[in-house]
Amino acid sequence: MSSVTSSPTFVRSDLVILGGGGVAVVLAGIAHYADWTAVVAFVVSAVAVTLLATLVGRSVEQLGDRFGPGATGVLQSALGNLPELFICIFALRAGLVDVVKAALVGSVLANLLFVLGLAFVVGGLKHGTQRLDSERARTIAVLMLLSVSAMAIPSLAHGLHTPAVAHEKAFSIIVAVVLLVLFALSLPASLKRGATAADPHAEAPRWNVGLAIGLLAIASALAAFVSDWFVDALEPAMDALDVSQVFAGLVVVAIAGNAIENIVGVQLAAKGQSEYAFAVILNSPIQIALVLAPALVLISVAFGLSTLTLVFSPLLVACLLLSVVLATVITIDGESNWLEGASLMALYFIVATAFWWG
Amino acid sequence: MSSVTSSPTFVRSDLVILGGGGVAVVLAGIAHYADWTAVVAFVVSAVAVTLLATLVGRSVEQLGDRFGPGATGVLQSALGNLPELFICIFALRAGLVDVVKAALVGSVLANLLFVLGLAFVVGGLKHGTQRLDSERARTIAVLMLLSVSAMAIPSLAHGLHTPAVAHEKAFSIIVAVVLLVLFALSLPASLKRGATAADPHAEAPRWNVGLAIGLLAIASALAAFVSDWFVDALEPAMDALDVSQVFAGLVVVAIAGNAIENIVGVQLAAKGQSEYAFAVILNSPIQIALVLAPALVLISVAFGLSTLTLVFSPLLVACLLLSVVLATVITIDGESNWLEGASLMALYFIVATAFWWG
Amino acid sequence: MSSVTSSPTFVRSDLVILGGGGVAVVLAGIAHYADWTAVVAFVVSAVAVTLLATLVGRSVEQLGDRFGPGATGVLQSALGNLPELFICIFALRAGLVDVVKAALVGSVLANLLFVLGLAFVVGGLKHGTQRLDSERARTIAVLMLLSVSAMAIPSLAHGLHTPAVAHEKAFSIIVAVVLLVLFALSLPASLKRGATAADPHAEAPRWNVGLAIGLLAIASALAAFVSDWFVDALEPAMDALDVSQVFAGLVVVAIAGNAIENIVGVQLAAKGQSEYAFAVILNSPIQIALVLAPALVLISVAFGLSTLTLVFSPLLVACLLLSVVLATVITIDGESNWLEGASLMALYFIVATAFWWG
């Protein structure tokens, strides 16, 4: 992977991702098999996962609109969640159910509070009050509110309705199927929407199809291995650092697993493309609620892993619902400034602190 | 009731309602007095109640604007709830307090999730993205949010504030009076609003005043009898079908009791009159919160029925508050599409499933 | 204080405040030291606190834009909370932690439900449907939603997440610091906003700087004494009236402590300046969440008073979150009428009733 020529096929950032990714994967492998201390192994594999995820995203981008821009967008969303999916599957195999639950909710919170807040701060400081009044942003926000709310119902039922407690698994499976059906229903609209909405940072692809598909396949395969090592190092590393499992999932896994979307969203905000930044950032919770979480529920049952249900701990659910309502209201409000961003980041910090203890 | 001539006074749909209603009432009576199996008796009386409710609505419509369009609108709202009121009163007399509570909340949920969702799906598939940005829709949504929130406070107090538990009945009576006062205050505005907003599906009345009032009186009186039979068959039928009382109230009674408003709302959406559909659908929860629920509380106390309080079970309240916030945000967002509708229907299905178990 | 001449320096309302304030302070002092019955002492000191708070506000107003209109606005907000700050400090010294917690939440509820409702009723009856669609009103509403939500997290963590219970004090201190940092960050924007937004009821100052600063100093010093007497009479007066501590804090202290802002907000609405009224009314909860509550937490710890944490009772938190969501939705809706106002007031009445029992 480091034998790249200096042909114009690769720009500088490609080389950083390929070179850095290669080094990180090799180091993560050594750390895993040579029994380096858990914290080092964890950090190295986290960096490797992030760089592989970036490479997956870049490869899909380079496939360009060869499948049409709509299909590319859908493919990008689907493959963008691949590393997080791998990590969660290995974590479920290792019995770390609470970590996975916290990571799923944590991804939503990190997106809606931390990343959205950071995008508002960066965009607001550079470009002043930013307007978000497109039909597209509002539609995404409402879909996000509805899908995350649906995902929260099993937890509400578990906590507030005694007879439902005995049916936690069955109920989660039913809800997972409903959410996946909703996702399937939304695909035609996504495909069509992609076709009309021009991607504001599109450029001509530099890689030919073979190279793009090849790198995509290699990065995906490596991501599976590295995710395994990441999960392996997670528990001992958190023990060494005296961090609770829930906090590890909520903050560490959630941020490592969504690094690229997060960076892209903030970069777009910095460029003043607040509408597009917003769409990228709000799309992630939709993906988690309609695809990642329900898929993991069904996979955990089908493959006999530790059973994942959609019953999250009460404080996770309360923060989840509060966050989606806040994010939706802010979108529908139609404007954002850096102070709103700072408030969102403060909220994220406060929520994360609450989970610092156990 | 089946001796109608083929005079132009009655159009085909009138004949269906009159004829079908007559047959259904007779069958329901036979089922009741001849001790048919509970499930059959229940279904027949449910159909009879629905057709009688439709006849009540049609009669009021035929009274036309003889009392002014505002008064007619108010009359229509008031009489539209008559069958549901009868059913709840008989259910309270039979001690089915949990059924009544679930039916009240279920009517709101059915309207805001199922019917609104169906209207979005039907309207969206036929007419694409629909706009809802009239002042009227927003005002109704905000009033709906406020009135349902007020109705939810006794439940919050009961669940979260120990000293309030001992005063459940007194508190519910006070809140009921406050809600009825709010309703009384809102009447002048309703009367006036009716006077300026032209009903988009108005037509010249075909029935003369005597016929309209006569049918109205007969249908209302029969509705009282049939409601009694309906409640009588409810418990054994649900036992035979192994359905819990809460589910029966939440889904079966709620949908049977609101059948006409529901059908009208969806029909209006199909015709592309999304604003008006929205107003009809959102108006129903306002009626339940400001009139039906408080009236039933006071009636249950005044007439020595099983005491109805406004303390609903925790999951009912959580779903109620979530639904009103979602519906309000969707209205204020100003647009709807069929995917939002499908999400709302999915939410309704998930909530109903949660109550399937006990 | 009653030796004022009839020079044009003082208009009639000045004389009422100065004269009435002087009399009330003297009476409150006599009531305190001569051991009048608690209820009389309480009422007299409440009136004195309110008039002194009014005098503080008037003095700052008379300083005019000598420090620039932005700085004056900030100064006004800061000093406007002075009497409430004094009352809460003395109450904490007296161990009345529950009264202070209820007063903090009660101030928010009183502003968002009672005062906002009253402003809508008064403005709506006088001027019809009022529009609230300025960027400023929306920004203030969103900041209010975010800051109050942040203040609510410790309560959610305490009630829903067992491990956080042991760290109530530490968590509250951390959150208090975060909230104060947010306030500090918001100051430049407030200073700048003040500079561009002309105060619609500005008039040329009548008092010279010396008189304004002198009266400000005297009123502030007296407010400290009278607050002490007020707290002293609070407990026996509530006992005599058989009112619970929580109700006393939630309703009595909250309304007495915010009397001026409340009156100003409603007066502005009566004049048809609904935007400005809205800004004044929504600004108060921001002040409480970002300054008053966190400052009291830190003061209580630093000066060894009864420790104030941000863990409010569950019903207080539920009503708080419900109210901020309702108020924000109403603002973003962009319109208000008197019926919405009446509904808000009904909600306040219902919430207050819930706390009447214990």
Side-chain angles (χ1 to χ4, degrees):
Chain A
M1 276 182 70
S2 51
S3 64
V4 291
T5 65
S6 59
S7 100
T9 312
F10 294 103
V11 295
R12 181 188 288 241
S13 68
D14 293 340
L15 296 175
V16 171
I17 295 165
L18 286 168
V23 172
V25 169
V26 170
L27 284 178
I30 295 174
H32 180 72
Y33 290 108
D35 278 329
W36 288 7
T37 54
V39 175
V40 174
F42 178 75
V43 170
V44 176
S45 56
V47 171
V49 166
T50 305
L51 287 170
L52 288 172
T54 315
L55 182 54
V56 167
R58 181 72 50 110
S59 307
V60 176
E61 212 176 284
Q62 289 295 321
L63 283 173
D65 44 11
R66 289 184 180 97
F67 305 134
T72 307
V74 170
L75 197 65
Q76 207 153 8
S77 297
L79 292 174
N81 282 314
L82 208 62
E84 210 176 348
L85 183 72
F86 284 145
I87 290 173
C88 289
I89 289 176
F90 287 118
L92 287 175
R93 206 188 54 182
L96 303 172
V97 178
D98 286 345
V99 173
V100 173
K101 286 184 178 175
L104 291 171
V105 174
S107 297
V108 177
L109 297 182
N111 267 284
L112 296 185
L113 302 180
F114 180 74
V115 183
L116 191 59
L118 190 56
F120 282 1
V121 168
V122 169
L125 289 180
K126 274 193 133 176
H127 307 280
T129 298
Q130 305 206 277
R131 297 204 58 78
L132 297 163
D133 53 358
S134 77
E135 187 182 319
R136 197 185 171 194
R138 285 161 174 246
T139 301
I140 290 179
V142 167
L143 275 180
M144 191 273 294
L145 178 63
L146 289 173
S147 53
V148 175
S149 298
M151 188 179 73
I153 304 285
S155 305
L156 294 179
H158 191 86
L160 300 174
H161 188 60
T162 323
V165 174
H167 304 275
E168 178 179 342
K169 189 173 156 185
F171 192 21
S172 290
I173 293 174
I174 294 172
V175 174
V177 171
V178 171
L179 293 170
L180 287 170
V181 168
L182 264 188
F183 176 69
L185 289 174
S186 75
L187 273 181
S190 302
L191 290 172
K192 202 171 147 201
R193 185 166 55 218
T196 53
D199 180 345
H201 70 146
E203 37 176 301
R206 297 180 307 273
W207 303 351
N208 63 47
V209 181
L211 179 61
I213 290 183
L215 285 176
L216 179 59
I218 292 170
S220 301
L222 285 175
F225 282 94
V226 180
S227 297
D228 191 10
W229 306 337
F230 175 83
V231 169
D232 225 50
L234 177 68
E235 221 178 344
M238 294 304 118
D239 283 354
L241 295 171
D242 202 20
V243 167
S244 76
Q245 282 204 11
V246 174
F247 187 84
L250 188 82
V251 175
V252 182
V253 178
I255 290 191
N258 291 286
I260 340 130
E261 287 125 300
N262 301 355
I263 293 167
V264 170
V266 175
Q267 277 174 342
L268 287 168
K271 287 184 205 158
Q273 299 176 331
S274 59
E275 293 284 346
Y276 195 62
F278 211 78
V280 167
I281 293 170
L282 285 193
N283 203 49
S284 177
I286 297 180
Q287 294 284 328
I288 290 161
L290 293 190
V291 187
L292 193 62
L296 283 168
V297 168
L298 298 184
I299 289 171
S300 81
V301 173
F303 294 92
L305 311 175
S306 296
T307 305
L308 179 73
T309 68
L310 294 175
V311 173
F312 304 101
S313 81
L315 183 55
L316 284 178
V317 175
C319 292
L320 190 72
L321 288 175
L322 189 60
S323 305
V324 292
V325 170
L326 295 183
T328 310
V329 167
I330 288 177
T331 321
I332 293 183
D333 164 54
E335 276 165 354
S336 74
N337 57 46
W338 71 266
L339 193 53
E340 285 176 21
S343 305
L344 283 170
M345 294 179 75
L347 256 170
Y348 181 73
F349 177 78
I350 291 171
V351 168
T353 305
F355 285 101
W356 177 256
W357 301 290
Chain B
M1 274 182 70
S2 51
S3 64
V4 289
T5 65
S6 60
S7 101
T9 312
F10 294 103
V11 296
R12 180 189 288 242
S13 67
D14 292 341
L15 295 174
V16 171
I17 295 166
L18 285 168
V23 172
V25 169
V26 170
L27 284 177
I30 296 174
H32 180 71
Y33 291 109
D35 279 327
W36 288 8
T37 54
V39 176
V40 174
F42 179 75
V43 170
V44 175
S45 56
V47 172
V49 166
T50 306
L51 287 169
L52 288 172
T54 315
L55 183 53
V56 168
R58 184 69 52 109
S59 307
V60 176
E61 213 175 283
Q62 289 295 321
L63 282 173
D65 43 11
R66 288 184 179 97
F67 305 132
T72 306
V74 171
L75 197 65
Q76 205 152 9
S77 297
L79 292 175
N81 283 312
L82 207 63
E84 211 178 344
L85 182 73
F86 284 144
I87 291 174
C88 288
I89 289 175
F90 287 117
L92 287 175
R93 205 189 52 182
L96 303 173
V97 177
D98 286 345
V99 173
V100 173
K101 287 184 179 177
L104 291 172
V105 174
S107 297
V108 176
L109 296 182
N111 267 283
L112 296 185
L113 301 180
F114 180 74
V115 183
L116 190 60
L118 190 56
F120 282 1
V121 168
V122 168
L125 289 180
K126 275 194 134 174
H127 307 280
T129 299
Q130 304 206 276
R131 298 206 56 81
L132 297 163
D133 53 358
S134 75
E135 187 181 319
R136 197 186 172 195
R138 286 163 172 245
T139 300
I140 289 178
V142 166
L143 274 180
M144 191 272 294
L145 178 63
L146 290 172
S147 53
V148 175
S149 298
M151 187 179 72
I153 303 284
S155 306
L156 294 179
H158 191 86
L160 300 174
H161 189 60
T162 324
V165 173
H167 304 275
E168 178 178 343
K169 190 173 157 186
F171 191 21
S172 289
I173 293 175
I174 293 172
V175 173
V177 171
V178 172
L179 292 170
L180 286 170
V181 169
L182 264 189
F183 176 69
L185 289 174
S186 75
L187 273 181
S190 302
L191 290 172
K192 201 172 150 201
R193 186 166 56 217
T196 54
D199 180 345
H201 69 147
E203 36 176 300
R206 297 180 307 274
W207 303 350
N208 63 44
V209 182
L211 179 60
I213 291 183
L215 285 175
L216 180 59
I218 293 169
S220 301
L222 285 175
F225 282 94
V226 180
S227 297
D228 190 10
W229 306 337
F230 175 83
V231 169
D232 225 49
L234 177 69
E235 221 177 346
M238 294 303 119
D239 283 353
L241 296 171
D242 201 20
V243 167
S244 75
Q245 282 204 12
V246 174
F247 187 84
L250 189 81
V251 176
V252 182
V253 178
I255 290 190
N258 290 285
I260 339 132
E261 288 126 298
N262 300 354
I263 293 167
V264 170
V266 175
Q267 278 175 341
L268 287 168
K271 287 185 205 157
Q273 301 175 329
S274 59
E275 295 284 347
Y276 195 63
F278 212 78
V280 167
I281 294 170
L282 286 193
N283 203 50
S284 177
I286 298 180
Q287 294 284 328
I288 290 161
L290 293 190
V291 187
L292 194 61
L296 283 168
V297 168
L298 299 184
I299 289 170
S300 80
V301 173
F303 293 93
L305 311 175
S306 296
T307 304
L308 179 72
T309 67
L310 294 175
V311 174
F312 305 102
S313 81
L315 184 56
L316 284 177
V317 175
C319 293
L320 189 72
L321 288 176
L322 190 61
S323 305
V324 291
V325 170
L326 295 183
T328 310
V329 167
I330 288 176
T331 322
I332 292 183
D333 164 54
E335 275 165 355
S336 74
N337 57 48
W338 71 267
L339 193 53
E340 286 176 20
S343 305
L344 283 170
M345 292 179 76
L347 258 170
Y348 181 73
F349 177 77
I350 291 172
V351 168
T353 305
F355 286 101
W356 177 256
W357 301 290
Chain C
M1 274 184 70
S2 50
S3 65
V4 289
T5 65
S6 59
S7 100
T9 312
F10 294 103
V11 295
R12 181 189 286 241
S13 67
D14 293 340
L15 296 174
V16 171
I17 295 166
L18 286 167
V23 171
V25 169
V26 170
L27 283 178
I30 295 174
H32 180 71
Y33 292 108
D35 280 327
W36 287 8
T37 55
V39 176
V40 174
F42 178 76
V43 170
V44 175
S45 56
V47 171
V49 165
T50 305
L51 287 170
L52 287 171
T54 315
L55 183 53
V56 167
R58 182 69 53 109
S59 306
V60 175
E61 213 176 282
Q62 289 295 321
L63 282 172
D65 43 12
R66 287 184 182 97
F67 305 132
T72 308
V74 171
L75 196 67
Q76 204 153 8
S77 297
L79 293 173
N81 282 313
L82 208 64
E84 211 177 346
L85 183 73
F86 284 144
I87 290 173
C88 289
I89 289 175
F90 287 117
L92 287 175
R93 205 187 54 181
L96 302 172
V97 178
D98 286 345
V99 173
V100 172
K101 286 184 179 176
L104 290 172
V105 174
S107 297
V108 177
L109 296 181
N111 267 283
L112 296 185
L113 302 180
F114 181 73
V115 183
L116 190 60
L118 190 56
F120 282 1
V121 168
V122 169
L125 289 180
K126 275 194 132 173
H127 307 280
T129 299
Q130 304 206 276
R131 298 205 56 80
L132 296 164
D133 52 359
S134 75
E135 187 181 321
R136 197 185 173 195
R138 284 161 173 247
T139 300
I140 289 178
V142 167
L143 274 181
M144 191 272 294
L145 178 63
L146 289 173
S147 53
V148 175
S149 298
M151 186 178 73
I153 304 283
S155 306
L156 295 180
H158 191 85
L160 300 174
H161 187 61
T162 324
V165 173
H167 304 275
E168 177 177 343
K169 189 174 158 186
F171 193 22
S172 290
I173 293 174
I174 293 171
V175 174
V177 171
V178 172
L179 293 170
L180 287 170
V181 169
L182 264 188
F183 176 69
L185 289 175
S186 75
L187 273 181
S190 301
L191 290 172
K192 202 172 148 201
R193 186 166 54 218
T196 54
D199 179 346
H201 70 147
E203 36 174 302
R206 299 180 306 273
W207 303 350
N208 64 46
V209 182
L211 179 61
I213 290 183
L215 285 176
L216 179 59
I218 292 169
S220 301
L222 285 176
F225 281 95
V226 179
S227 296
D228 190 11
W229 306 337
F230 174 83
V231 169
D232 224 49
L234 177 68
E235 222 178 343
M238 294 305 119
D239 283 353
L241 295 171
D242 201 20
V243 167
S244 76
Q245 282 204 10
V246 174
F247 187 85
L250 189 81
V251 176
V252 181
V253 178
I255 290 190
N258 291 286
I260 339 130
E261 287 126 300
N262 301 354
I263 294 167
V264 169
V266 175
Q267 277 175 341
L268 286 168
K271 286 184 206 159
Q273 300 175 329
S274 59
E275 293 284 346
Y276 195 62
F278 212 77
V280 167
I281 293 169
L282 286 193
N283 203 50
S284 177
I286 297 180
Q287 294 284 329
I288 290 160
L290 294 189
V291 187
L292 193 62
L296 283 167
V297 168
L298 298 184
I299 289 170
S300 81
V301 173
F303 294 93
L305 311 175
S306 296
T307 304
L308 178 72
T309 68
L310 294 175
V311 174
F312 305 102
S313 82
L315 184 55
L316 283 178
V317 174
C319 293
L320 189 71
L321 287 176
L322 189 61
S323 305
V324 291
V325 170
L326 295 183
T328 311
V329 167
I330 290 177
T331 321
I332 292 184
D333 164 54
E335 275 164 355
S336 75
N337 58 46
W338 72 266
L339 194 52
E340 286 176 20
S343 305
L344 283 170
M345 293 179 76
L347 257 169
Y348 180 74
F349 177 77
I350 291 171
V351 169
T353 305
F355 286 101
W356 177 256
W357 301 290

